[in-house]
Amino acid sequence: PQAVKYLLESAAIIDQSKTKSIQQLMPQVYSTISSNLIAQKQYEKGIEYSIKALRLKDYPGEPRYRVILHLDVFDAYLQLNQMDLAKAHLDSAVLFNQPLNNRVITNLVSRNEGVYYNYVKDYPQALASYLKSYQLSATLKYASLKSQAANNISGIYLILLKYEEARKYALDRK
């Protein structure tokens, strides 16, 4: 709660600034406010701040932030069980991610695609997305991301009654 309060104060100061380099911090501040609100389960308010950030243009790191903002909104709408809106923002994240050539962001997008397809019970598509995330995590040498992906893959294989594959990925989580 305190973080959001201070971030809102920062946003008010940035809003009053005439300096472009300071004004360009606003999307990051809105994004951080959004993430904090979503983490506090204040989904609608979190979405509101992500949308505010998405309306801003011409700031450093904009393409990367757009993907992350869309993923945050996707997550919030998923939590609210508003699947059409969640899917629209996931699709936007996929679209904005294509020209980035950033494997870390691609990993996040793939993992979120897996979450969506798992949620709508399209298990083959969820598996394909989680496998992509797993492979990216392995090449990036991010053990925690690889472990999360292995856990997701194992869960999907259990649903698909492919126990040996599930076991293989469950053991790879370590």
Side-chain angles (χ1 to χ4, degrees):
Q2 286 294 92
V4 172
K5 176 186 171 197
Y6 293 126
L7 287 162
L8 289 169
E9 289 173 8
S10 298
I13 292 167
I14 291 168
D15 196 41
Q16 294 173 2
S17 176
K18 305 253 188 273
T19 307
K20 184 174 178 162
S21 62
I22 292 176
Q23 291 172 345
Q24 289 179 328
L25 296 172
M26 191 64 89
Q28 295 165 321
V29 171
Y30 282 161
S31 175
T32 307
I33 291 170
S34 173
S35 295
N36 276 273
L37 290 169
I38 290 169
Q40 296 170 11
K41 300 185 186 317
Q42 295 183 51
Y43 302 118
E44 290 91 353
K45 287 187 91 172
I47 291 167
E48 180 183 319
Y49 279 94
S50 282
I51 298 300
K52 283 183 178 187
L54 284 166
R55 289 184 181 137
L56 300 173
K57 297 188 182 309
D58 301 324
Y59 56 91
E62 180 181 348
R64 183 174 51 88
Y65 270 101
R66 288 201 175 282
V67 173
I68 293 168
L69 286 162
H70 280 294
L71 290 176
D72 283 347
V73 176
F74 157 74
D75 179 51
Y77 278 129
L78 192 70
Q79 298 302 321
L80 293 168
N81 203 29
Q82 295 183 23
M83 300 312 294
D84 290 344
L85 292 169
K87 181 69 164 99
H89 283 278
L90 179 60
D91 289 346
S92 292
V94 169
L95 181 69
F96 284 113
N97 182 56
Q98 289 172 351
L100 282 184
N101 194 27
N102 182 319
R103 293 184 301 166
V104 174
I105 301 294
T106 299
N107 184 322
L108 290 173
V109 171
S110 295
R111 191 172 70 213
N112 279 278
E113 285 180 300
V115 167
Y116 172 79
Y117 289 115
N118 188 14
Y119 194 87
V120 299
K121 299 181 180 359
D122 183 345
Y123 301 120
Q125 193 63 43
L127 180 61
S129 297
Y130 287 142
L131 284 167
K132 182 177 179 182
S133 175
Y134 178 85
Q135 292 161 348
L136 282 167
S137 298
T139 63
L140 293 167
K141 297 183 175 36
Y142 283 130
S144 64
L145 292 178
K146 183 180 174 199
S147 175
Q148 289 171 8
N151 186 51
N152 293 330
I153 293 165
S154 177
I156 297 295
Y157 276 131
L158 283 174
I159 291 167
L160 297 174
L161 306 177
K162 295 187 176 185
Y163 301 117
E164 194 52 42
E165 289 296 316
R167 182 177 185 279
K168 173 184 157 187
Y169 284 95
L171 292 173
D172 194 29
R173 292 184 327 191
K174 299 175 183 177

